[in-house]
């Protein structure tokens, strides 16, 4: 057991085996630490007892594909994760188009099943601050309903964020998922939490992905997440993706369907505003 009061500098020294020459706290759970060889690493404290393990396994699974750019894992233990720092610049259209092609290649690497965790990753993982179970299912519609949408709907109803009378619209989406899901797709290797804040635009001309909630899922889910809060040069990302691996012609009709899960996660974590967005997304999905 390591000292629970251990700080980021001590963690970086222990997990990398290097002496530390500087530390800059970025938040209560994140610090940039300079090592004696000049490298800067990011030291992150996990939000749960399996968070560091889940994130490290996800980063390694994405890196193993040799497609998207992710920071290398330099060490982890039960509570901490140490990764390379990404030197960030400004987003540009060329980097965005490359990211689209890289995402298409990542998704094509596949996963053993819908819901499959990364090798070495826990079944009980996280998406952001919320628990997320990586339990496998035979087809995407049933799996998405049972292991992504309904658990968070129940949580939102239990805490009063979604009223009981409002829940049936989301339950109807789950009932109709086999007909709403579009053409069958193989399980894709997903980043899993691909909102714009988890895309870093590097000074090297590449977009880098951080903080994955990686699992086997539907490739449209990552793209719907990029739409959820907006992303620089999103049109160019999609151009690159479509050039490399064309999507079904009607895939944009299902963006709201794929956004339902992250919106419910946000409703459970952050309250009523996201619940209203989730209910609107459910209504939109039913009309598509």
């Amino acid at each position: 057991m390591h000292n629970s009061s251990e700080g980021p500098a001590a963690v970086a020294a222990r997990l990398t085996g290097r002496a530390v020459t500087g530390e800059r706290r970025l938040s209560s759970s994140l610090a940039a630490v300079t090592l004696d060889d000049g490298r800067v690493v990011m030291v992150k404290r996990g939000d749960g007892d399996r968070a560091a393990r889940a994130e490290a396994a996800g980063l390694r699974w994405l890196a193993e594909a040799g497609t998207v750019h992710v920071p290398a894992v330099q060490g982890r233990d039960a509570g901490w994760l140490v990764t390379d720092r990404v030197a960030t610049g400004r987003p540009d259209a060329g980097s965005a188009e490359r990211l689209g092609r890289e995402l298409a290649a990542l998704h094509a690497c596949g996963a053993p099943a819908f819901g499959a965790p990364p090798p070495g990753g826990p079944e009980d993982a996280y998406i952001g601050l919320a628990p997320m179970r990586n339990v496998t299912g035979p087809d995407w519609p049933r799996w998405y309903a049972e292991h992504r949408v309904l658990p968070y709907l129940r949580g939102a109803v239990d805490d009063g964020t979604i009223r009981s009378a409002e829940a049936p619209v989301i339950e109807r989406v789950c009932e109709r998922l086999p007909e709403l899901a579009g053409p069958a797709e193989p399980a894709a290797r997903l980043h899993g939490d691909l909102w714009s804040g988890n895309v870093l635009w590097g000074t090297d001309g590449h977009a880098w992905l951080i903080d994955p909630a990686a699992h086997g899922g539907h490739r449209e889910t990552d793209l719907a997440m990029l739409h959820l809060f907006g992303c620089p040069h999103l049109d160019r990302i999609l151009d690159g993706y479509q050039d490399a691996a064309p999507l079904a012609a009607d895939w944009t009709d299902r963006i709201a369907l794929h956004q339902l899960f992250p919106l419910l996660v946000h409703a459970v974590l952050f309250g009523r505003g996201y619940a209203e967005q989730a209910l609107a997304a459910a209504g939109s999905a039913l009309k598509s």
Side-chain angles (χ1 to χ4, degrees):
M1 295 290 291
H2 297 289
N3 188 340
S4 60
S5 63
E6 192 178 26
V11 169
R14 173 168 57 80
L15 292 180
T16 66
R18 307 290 313 197
V20 168
T21 61
E23 175 190 306
R24 181 164 61 97
R25 297 286 182 115
L26 303 176
S27 72
S28 61
S29 61
L30 185 67
V33 174
T34 304
L35 305 179
D36 64 353
D37 60 1
R39 287 181 297 149
V40 179
V41 293
M42 305 305 294
V43 182
K44 181 178 180 181
R45 185 172 61 233
D47 296 305
D49 59 357
R50 296 170 303 278
R53 177 185 166 197
E55 186 171 338
L59 286 169
R60 287 171 173 144
W61 196 42
L62 300 185
E64 176 190 275
T67 55
V68 295
H69 289 70
V70 296
V73 175
Q74 296 298 333
R76 73 138 185 110
D77 62 16
W80 295 88
L81 175 67
V82 180
T83 65
D84 286 347
R85 182 191 64 164
V86 176
T88 55
R90 297 178 64 86
D92 66 83
S95 297
E97 196 161 321
R98 279 192 293 275
L99 174 58
R101 293 194 297 268
E102 292 164 357
L103 276 175
L106 172 70
H107 293 162
C109 287
F114 295 106
E123 182 177 284
D124 291 308
Y126 291 86
I127 178 166
L129 300 174
M132 182 184 80
R133 296 201 73 211
N134 284 325
V135 179
T136 61
D139 65 79
W140 185 78
R142 284 183 290 174
W143 170 82
Y144 186 63
E146 183 177 351
H147 298 295
R148 290 297 181 262
V149 176
L150 290 175
Y152 296 91
L153 174 61
R154 288 191 288 266
V157 170
D158 288 346
D159 64 22
T161 306
I162 291 178
R163 303 177 189 97
S164 296
E166 295 172 322
V169 66
I170 296 176
E171 292 169 344
R172 282 198 295 275
V173 171
C174 291
E175 291 166 2
R176 291 185 54 195
L177 262 166
E179 65 183 272
L180 297 175
E185 292 263 359
R189 188 173 306 195
L190 297 190
H191 175 280
D193 192 11
L194 196 58
W195 70 289
S196 59
N198 286 340
V199 179
L200 302 183
W201 302 90
T203 56
D204 60 356
H206 293 284
W208 291 72
L209 307 185
I210 62 170
D211 296 350
H215 62 279
H218 196 302
R219 62 183 182 140
E220 291 175 4
T221 298
D222 269 351
L223 302 178
M225 280 289 289
L226 284 173
H227 279 80
L228 187 54
F229 299 114
C231 186
H233 302 293
L234 180 56
D235 57 337
R236 297 296 294 272
I237 295 173
L238 296 175
D239 286 346
Y241 195 105
Q242 292 274 31
D243 285 346
L247 295 150
D250 60 348
W251 83 273
T252 55
D253 295 341
R254 292 183 291 278
I255 288 175
L257 177 66
H258 288 272
Q259 290 178 344
L260 189 53
F261 164 56
L263 286 171
L264 286 169
V265 170
H266 277 69
V268 169
L269 291 175
F270 305 118
R272 178 66 187 176
Y274 288 107
E276 291 172 353
Q277 290 185 53
L279 292 164
S284 178
L286 289 170
K287 294 173 184 175
S288 64

